[in-house]
Amino acid sequence: MGPTGAGRLLAVSDLHVAYPDNRAITAELRPESEEDWLIVAGDVGEITAEIEWALDLLSQRFAKVIWVPGNHELWTHQKDPVQLRGEHRYRHLVEICRGMGVLTPEDPYPVWTGDGGPVRIVPLFLLYDYSFVPPGARDKSDGLEQAYAKGVVCSDEFLLHPDPYPSREAWCQARIDETERRLAELDDDLPTILVNHYPLLREPTDVLRYPEFAQWCGTERTADWHRRYRATCVVYGHLHIPRITRHDDVPFYEVSIGYPREWRRHGHPHGLLRQVLPTRTPA
């Protein structure tokens, strides 16, 4: 259960601690209360030891840390001594998190009972299936062909391996099926906070500078999840465009820090940590 005092439910994503300036930002993240919880919506880093450093630091400061993987955590980077791939890498990170008391998509969904609660926090790991095809594309194949022709290609194509699944789409399918099963088994009608590295519907990607990149940003299969699963809000990252939008009157919080070249240009207009409950008016 969650706290019953003055704690806050906070969120952040895309810490990218491989960058020294981002590592310094991460080292500065602190709660205001010993009852504050922190949601970390993916892309902490690429190297296992750096991911572990950041999550361990945060888990010692916040009453509870809840993590979902981004695509960068799932990379098998040549500089990482841990050369596990795909599902095996993900499960390895889950075990590291469990050793620190950090909750993951594989653990029971916690209930926040502080300000804005009670609400069930649902960390998700769903990946993408290239169904956010760019404008004018006939299908996934055509969309990917357009992306490659324009040089807009996510590094996942070279570093994020789906083993033992035959493709990232197949892994995405398996993750969605398993998550739908778990959500269907919930035995109450508590509202939820859905947490995923990627946006759950396509609309937030409409502001991308390169629309072809949306293909690596989620799946059409989750477009109604905020309605189906009683979401009071949705938390995500990945796009490096921190903001709040509303879809079917549900606030979607993009909570990323992003790369230094991005935040140096725009600053941190919403602060480093975003309070997600009680829900706020879009800014």
Side-chain angles (χ1 to χ4, degrees):
M1 299 295 284
T4 57
R8 301 179 304 158
L9 184 59
L10 304 166
V12 71
S13 76
D14 295 79
L15 293 169
H16 292 291
V17 299
Y19 293 91
D21 288 347
N22 281 42
R23 189 179 180 95
I25 285 175
T26 302
E28 294 173 3
L29 299 179
R30 296 182 181 275
E32 291 186 3
S33 161
E34 63 182 14
E35 295 184 333
D36 286 356
W37 284 23
L38 180 63
I39 294 167
V40 182
D43 275 8
V44 174
E46 300 85 29
I47 307 302
T48 304
E50 294 179 345
I51 299 166
E52 185 172 4
W53 168 81
L55 292 176
D56 183 50
L57 177 73
L58 297 172
S59 69
Q60 293 179 43
R61 293 177 175 176
F62 290 83
K64 182 62 66 179
V65 172
I66 301 162
W67 166 82
V68 301
N71 54 313
H72 282 240
E73 282 102 334
L74 300 174
W75 286 1
T76 304
H77 199 287
Q78 63 180 358
K79 294 182 179 179
D80 193 345
V82 178
Q83 285 293 295
L84 295 172
R85 293 162 60 110
E87 179 78 12
H88 295 298
R89 179 172 179 83
Y90 169 61
R91 296 291 171 174
H92 179 67
L93 293 172
V94 167
E95 291 306 311
I96 288 174
C97 285
R98 285 176 170 168
M100 298 182 289
V102 173
L103 295 180
T104 77
E106 305 310 308
D107 297 310
Y109 303 140
V111 176
W112 167 264
T113 58
D115 196 10
V119 60
R120 189 180 303 278
I121 303 173
V122 179
L124 304 167
F125 168 39
L126 303 175
L127 281 167
Y128 51 83
D129 59 5
Y130 305 98
S131 55
F132 292 173
V133 296
R138 298 183 302 274
D139 52 28
K140 297 178 189 179
S141 296
D142 189 34
L144 286 172
E145 184 176 335
Q146 290 185 22
Y148 272 84
K150 293 184 178 180
V152 181
V153 179
C154 184
S155 295
D156 292 4
E157 294 297 307
F158 314 102
L159 296 172
L160 200 167
H161 306 287
D163 312 34
Y165 297 93
S167 65
R168 283 174 287 276
E169 299 100 304
W171 196 4
C172 176
Q173 174 80 35
R175 290 300 312 181
I176 290 173
D177 291 345
E178 170 64 14
T179 305
E180 287 181 326
R181 181 191 64 75
R182 285 188 65 189
L183 288 168
E185 292 175 351
L186 292 177
D187 59 0
D188 58 48
D189 293 324
L190 280 178
T192 64
I193 294 177
L194 301 179
V195 181
N196 192 45
H197 181 60
Y198 309 95
L200 294 181
L201 71 173
R202 179 173 185 149
E203 283 87 340
T205 71
D206 290 344
V207 297
L208 289 173
R209 181 178 182 183
Y210 301 104
E212 295 81 10
F213 191 77
Q215 294 170 100
W216 291 275
C217 294
T219 169
E220 295 283 6
R221 285 194 57 188
T222 59
D224 66 345
W225 279 28
H226 60 293
R227 298 192 303 272
R228 284 174 62 191
Y229 300 121
R230 307 174 302 282
T232 189
C233 68
V234 175
V235 176
Y236 70 101
H238 188 58
L239 303 185
H240 296 192
I241 306 173
R243 58 180 181 149
I244 310 171
T245 57
R246 280 189 179 266
H247 308 277
D248 301 304
D249 206 34
V250 176
F252 279 57
Y253 293 84
E254 208 282 9
V255 297
S256 61
I257 298 296
Y259 300 131
R261 67 176 183 271
E262 296 164 332
W263 56 255
R264 285 196 188 108
R265 184 184 313 125
H266 303 295
H268 305 288
H270 303 286
L272 297 176
L273 299 177
R274 182 73 61 86
Q275 184 172 351
V276 298
L277 280 183
T279 55
R280 308 295 183 187
T281 301

